[in-house]
Amino acid sequence: MLIICDTHILLFWADCRERLTVAAQQAVEHGLTDGKLACAAISFWEIALLFRKNRLVLPAQHTPASYMDDIVASLELKILSITPAIAALAESGIIPQGDPGDRLIAATAIAHQAPLITADNKLHSIPGLRCIW
């Protein structure tokens, strides 16, 4: 079974692992060992947006693309695209999030019947979404 990482989980793993709970760390490590870690493609747009807004600072040797490529390689991530079913689910009203990126990430996890590693408490109450934190 896939284990899906929310955008901030990718960033925490890359730069600040101590921000992950024990359960989140174990889930990432388990997914990495089994080759089952994934993320929604929209996460990379969210990361690029954080760089553009100067909310993330790149290490000297990186461009935004190389930074994200390193995350994909180090976690052996499967990148899950936005399908018509995921897009429809994200806009169905069952995911009461204002942020479209969060709706798409939650819909991706629901559509793949995969747990989502996330610290976002708003996502923890969505029916059909199993969250790890």
Side-chain angles (χ1 to χ4, degrees):
M1 168 176 38
L2 289 176
I3 299 171
I4 298 177
C5 298
D6 201 341
T7 305
H8 60 276
I9 301 303
L10 303 176
L11 297 172
F12 291 173
W13 185 262
D15 297 325
C16 197
R17 290 185 191 172
E18 63 273 7
R19 293 189 66 186
L20 295 169
T21 64
V22 171
Q25 286 179 1
Q26 289 174 343
V28 171
E29 290 167 6
H30 177 74
L32 185 55
T33 299
D34 292 348
K36 299 291 185 179
L37 283 180
C39 70
I42 192 79
S43 288
F44 297 107
W45 173 79
E46 289 186 320
I47 292 170
L49 184 63
L50 291 170
F51 282 124
R52 185 179 61 78
K53 291 182 172 185
N54 294 315
R55 292 182 55 201
L56 280 178
V57 178
L58 284 170
Q61 72 275 19
H62 283 291
T63 65
S66 71
Y67 177 83
M68 291 183 271
D69 284 339
D70 281 355
I71 291 172
V72 172
S74 69
L75 290 173
E76 301 174 21
L77 283 173
K78 293 170 182 35
I79 302 168
L80 305 173
S81 61
I82 300 168
T83 64
I86 289 170
L89 182 59
E91 296 306 314
S92 68
I94 69 160
I95 304 170
Q97 280 288 88
D99 181 283
D102 289 343
R103 287 196 307 272
L104 285 165
I105 291 167
T108 299
I110 292 168
H112 286 274
Q113 298 178 344
L116 175 65
I117 306 171
T118 184
D120 187 338
N121 286 327
K122 292 178 186 175
L123 296 178
H124 288 238
S125 62
I126 295 171
L129 180 59
R130 195 172 100 216
C131 295
I132 299 170
W133 185 245

